[in-house]
């Protein structure tokens, strides 16, 4: 996979390049700010862009703005945003800008080759990847409808929001896939959402409900 990286920290940028290359991907560009990445991306036609949320000049939301623009100009390019802290509003904004092929992870998570590889693979497949801590904060913001969920349904909902398939949820929770499907049906019924049948749409549906 052809990947471009943007992060103002030289150490983190070089670390990302090394980890991505170890995973077998080709890093075709690495930049210190979002503008440089945006200028180079059309010619490079990357399969994935990995961006820090906060970059020069204001260190606020340059990465988010660049990601949304990339989704508009290069819709086939997957997006992975990295953040030092949980910033739920930025995760919601990225998810609201399009369908699948996007991810939002804390920087600590990408120190693991396995975690980064898993995220990149799911984004490349059109899925949506959310850091578990982001998911936990999203779910924690609303209480009333979620209060009707059983503990097992809450576990399934959190894994759904992380972008896990029914089979992956079954493996994680050590239950049968039929039990997962029953929980998914109950969750959508209680939250008034329709099961779209695809991973990234399920995540978007959860996030859309949380934004009501």
């Amino acid at each position: 996979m052809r990947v471009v990286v943007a992060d103002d920290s030289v150490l983190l940028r070089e670390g990302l390049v090394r980890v991505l290359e170890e995973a077998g991907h080709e890093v075709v560009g690495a930049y210190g700010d979002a503008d440089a990445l945006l200028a180079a991306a059309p010619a490079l036609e990357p399969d994935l862009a990995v961006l820090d949320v906060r970059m020069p000049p204001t260190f606020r939301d340059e990465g988010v703005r660049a990601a949304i623009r990339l989704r508009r100009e290069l819709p086939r390019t997957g997006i992975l945003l990295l953040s030092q802290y949980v910033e739920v509003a930025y995760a919601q904004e990225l998810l609201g800008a399009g369908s699948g092929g996007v991810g939002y992870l804390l920087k600590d998570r990408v120190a693991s080759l396995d975690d980064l590889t898993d995220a990149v693979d799911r984004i490349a497949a059109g899925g949506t990847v959310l850091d578990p801590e982001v998911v936990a904060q999203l779910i924690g913001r609303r209480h009333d409808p979620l209060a009707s969920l059983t503990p097992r349904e809450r576990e399934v909902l959190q894994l759904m929001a992380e972008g896990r398939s029914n089979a992956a949820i079954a493996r994680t929770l050590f239950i049968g896939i039929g039990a997962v499907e029953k929980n998914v049906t109950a969750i959508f019924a209680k939250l008034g959402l329709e099961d779209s049948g695809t991973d990234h749409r399920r995540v978007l549906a959860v996030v859309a409900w949380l934004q009501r």
Side-chain angles (χ1 to χ4, degrees), residues 115-196:
D115 285 349
L116 181 60
T117 300
D118 176 63
V120 168
D121 288 346
R122 283 195 276 150
I123 292 169
T128 300
V129 177
L130 290 179
D131 193 281
E133 291 192 33
V134 175
V135 174
Q137 288 206 20
L138 283 169
I139 291 177
R141 286 188 163 197
R142 299 296 178 95
H143 301 288
D144 293 342
L146 289 176
S148 67
L149 301 182
T150 66
R152 176 64 80 192
E153 287 166 355
R154 290 177 67 91
E155 290 178 326
V156 171
L157 175 59
Q158 178 156 347
L159 291 169
M160 284 168 52
E162 290 175 22
R164 305 293 178 176
S165 66
N166 285 357
I169 294 172
R171 290 193 297 270
T172 301
L173 298 179
F174 302 102
I175 58 177
I177 194 167
V180 175
E181 291 170 350
K182 288 180 180 178
N183 279 287
V184 170
T185 299
I187 289 165
F188 279 110
K190 290 179 180 180
L191 301 185
L193 300 170
E194 294 183 2
D195 186 356
S196 63

Side-chain angles (χ1 to χ4, degrees), residues 15-133:
L16 282 169
V17 170
R18 178 181 58 80
V19 171
L20 287 164
E21 289 179 341
E22 285 182 5
H25 303 296
E26 179 187 4
V27 179
V28 295
Y31 310 95
D33 61 75
D35 288 342
L37 181 147
L38 288 171
L44 295 173
E45 296 185 344
D47 301 303
L48 175 72
V50 182
L51 306 94
D52 186 11
V53 167
R54 299 187 179 195
M55 286 186 285
T58 69
F59 294 94
R60 294 183 63 186
D61 61 353
E62 283 79 5
V64 181
R65 304 270 74 77
I68 292 172
R69 179 173 163 185
L70 278 174
R71 294 294 285 177
R72 184 172 63 248
E73 297 180 357
L74 300 172
R76 294 184 180 180
T77 298
I79 301 292
L80 174 57
L81 277 181
L82 303 178
S83 180
Q84 189 71 40
Y85 310 102
V86 177
E87 298 175 286
V88 173
Y90 293 153
Q92 291 175 321
E93 193 166 358
L94 175 66
L95 290 167
S99 53
V102 297
Y104 185 105
L105 292 178
L106 295 182
K107 289 184 176 180
D108 290 346
R109 203 76 58 188
V110 301
S112 164
L113 178 60
D114 289 342
D115 285 349
L116 181 60
T117 300
D118 176 63
V120 168
D121 288 346
R122 283 195 276 150
I123 292 169
T128 300
V129 177
L130 290 179
D131 193 281
E133 291 192 33

